[in-house]
Amino acid sequence: MSTLQDFLFFLQRVRLCTWNVGNTDPVVDDDIVKLLKLDSTECADIYMVGLQEIKVDFGDTASRILNFASETYDDWAEVLLNILSKRDYFLIENVKVQAISLSVFAHISHLPFIHFIRTDVERTGIGRVWGNKGGVAISANIYNENVCFLNTHLAAHRDKDHERMEDVLEIFKEINFKRRATIQSHDLVLWLGDMNWRIEKFSKEEVVSMIVKKEYDKLLHKDQLMKHMKHKGVISEFCEAAITFPPSYKFDVDSDLYDTSEKQRVPAWTDRILYRVSPHSRTMRSAFARMLHLFSIKPHDSVPQSDIQIIKGSYTSLMDFQNSDHKPVVAECIITLPRNDNSCLVDIEILGSWVAKSKGEFQVTYRKHMQPKDKDYLALYQTPFTEYRAYKAWMDVPKMKTKPNKAGELTQSCKFSTSKIKETGKYRVGYYSNKMSCLLALSDPFEISTIDN
């Protein structure tokens, strides 16, 4: 039986991963499965993967400095896309600048409720034009909540604490999305990356000794990021789960030994995962919580008491990965969203059988207050569906010739030419909204066959 709580809250499980991959090639598929826990019985709704120091060639670097768009993903993003799409996840968006990449995926069941997807980047490297350091961000409206996904790679070295803060301030000031939204104007910000904050005062030998003894509290007391979180400013608005794992940097490659080179880098928690719920959203959620209390409804164990809850034991480093001098750092959380009117805006129904080199029929239904706009289009996608740009054919949305029914819905009959389709098999039809920068709907999978079949 549904309770009042089921009508008030919507839960989404998010898995996050940040990894400085050290200019290495992508790991094999089995390692990606392990990295993201894809074989878990409790699958995530959203995967957020932020990488630093991915391999780039000079041509790609130069084009991005000159702001030329690249139509290809980095090798890591392609591997992630290939693996996750086979498990019914699609790419919300990927954004990269030089060696910094961010990919966000969602289960295909959530596609109709993810709108207004935007990206932006800010370079803080050499001369503030080089993208080896900086931030990349994705903004999306998810179930009517504005969420910002942020990946940063900040200035390196122990004595560059001030420079790191300057990087942060510049990234938060300069990253703006098309709706003029800033990072901090979002209801929720998920921020991860190689933030490069270090442990002050202690020598390498002292730090390693405390790591062996698991005296993490003593080390965290001298952690530069922890220091900033205690003072007023941008960083103080963010939260972090308790750190119960050893520093993720710096290791000898292909080993679990902290740096044995001549430089003898001091180990540090450079790779971090933070989150921020806006004060306005926090106040609104508190009102929902008070309402639950008023009706004597106690959330069951899987429902967090606050807006976002890091699942216990999930914030950790993965020591088995040895191909970089950093260990990947992962976390898993449950986000509590107010349950608003989450009905689909558009519905697509396939009619009859579709045959290659012919025209297939389908029907588009626009829910109340929804109408087709200029530059909207319909696209044909092969399965497994990967992302909105991967269509095999497309067509402009036909002009409406009917009036709304009593429920305020508009229904439109369409025909799609399959003359450009060279492969038979499973396909989907999607509706792309130019205004919302996203697909509003995907049909169920259907078969396109040859005449002989």
Side-chain angles (χ1 to χ4, degrees), residues 194-370:
D194 178 2
M195 303 187 190
N196 258 322
W197 271 293
R198 308 302 173 98
I199 297 169
E200 297 177 332
K201 182 181 177 181
F202 298 118
S203 67
K204 183 198 171 186
E205 291 74 19
E206 290 173 321
V207 171
V208 171
S209 175
M210 283 184 266
I211 291 171
V212 171
K213 298 174 185 177
K214 295 187 177 181
E215 296 176 336
Y216 300 144
D217 286 347
K218 291 182 180 179
L219 295 174
L220 289 169
H221 185 66
K222 296 297 181 181
D223 178 79
Q224 292 173 340
L225 176 57
M226 292 287 188
K227 175 187 68 178
H228 290 299
M229 294 179 75
K230 293 177 182 177
H231 296 87
K232 288 185 178 180
V234 170
I235 294 178
S236 67
E237 300 174 2
F238 284 82
C239 301
E240 182 179 25
I243 292 179
T244 59
F245 55 91
S248 55
Y249 170 88
K250 174 181 172 48
F251 291 87
D252 292 342
V253 176
D254 297 325
S255 82
D256 288 333
L257 295 175
Y258 287 105
D259 188 16
T260 61
S261 71
E262 293 181 0
K263 293 184 177 180
Q264 292 286 304
R265 299 288 192 198
V266 179
W269 285 283
T270 57
D271 311 283
R272 310 290 274 267
I273 298 175
L274 310 176
Y275 63 93
R276 173 190 182 271
V277 179
S278 75
H280 171 74
S281 296
R282 197 181 302 277
T283 300
M284 185 169 60
R285 306 309 201 296
S286 297
F288 280 121
R290 289 194 296 271
M291 186 180 296
L292 288 181
H293 179 74
L294 180 65
F295 284 88
S296 300
I297 297 174
K298 296 181 179 180
H300 49 77
D301 292 339
S302 64
V303 179
Q305 300 291 324
S306 58
D307 310 311
I308 179 169
Q309 172 184 318
I310 303 292
I311 296 173
K312 186 176 181 180
S314 70
Y315 189 30
T316 187
S317 60
L318 302 181
M319 298 294 290
D320 290 346
F321 290 84
Q322 299 182 339
N323 49 321
S324 169
D325 57 352
H326 289 250
K327 302 296 183 183
V329 170
V330 297
E332 189 169 348
C333 65
I334 292 178
I335 300 173
T336 310
L337 303 175
R339 185 180 287 276
N340 299 311
D341 180 10
N342 294 320
S343 58
C344 298
L345 298 175
V346 177
D347 183 68
I348 301 173
E349 180 183 0
I350 302 301
L351 304 175
S353 299
W354 285 41
V355 178
K357 309 298 181 181
S358 182
K359 288 188 177 182
E361 296 185 10
F362 62 102
Q363 183 173 281
V364 180
T365 300
Y366 303 91
R367 303 305 178 191
K368 189 176 181 180
H369 305 309
M370 177 66 195

Side-chain angles (χ1 to χ4, degrees), residues 14 17 53 66 102 108 114 134 166 209 223 260 292 314 348 350 410 426:
V14 182
C17 172
E53 294 192 16
L66 296 172
L102 174 62
I108 204 164
I114 301 175
E166 288 185 336
S209 175
D223 178 79
T260 61
L292 288 181
S314 70
I348 301 173
I350 302 301
L410 291 165
K426 294 287 187 180

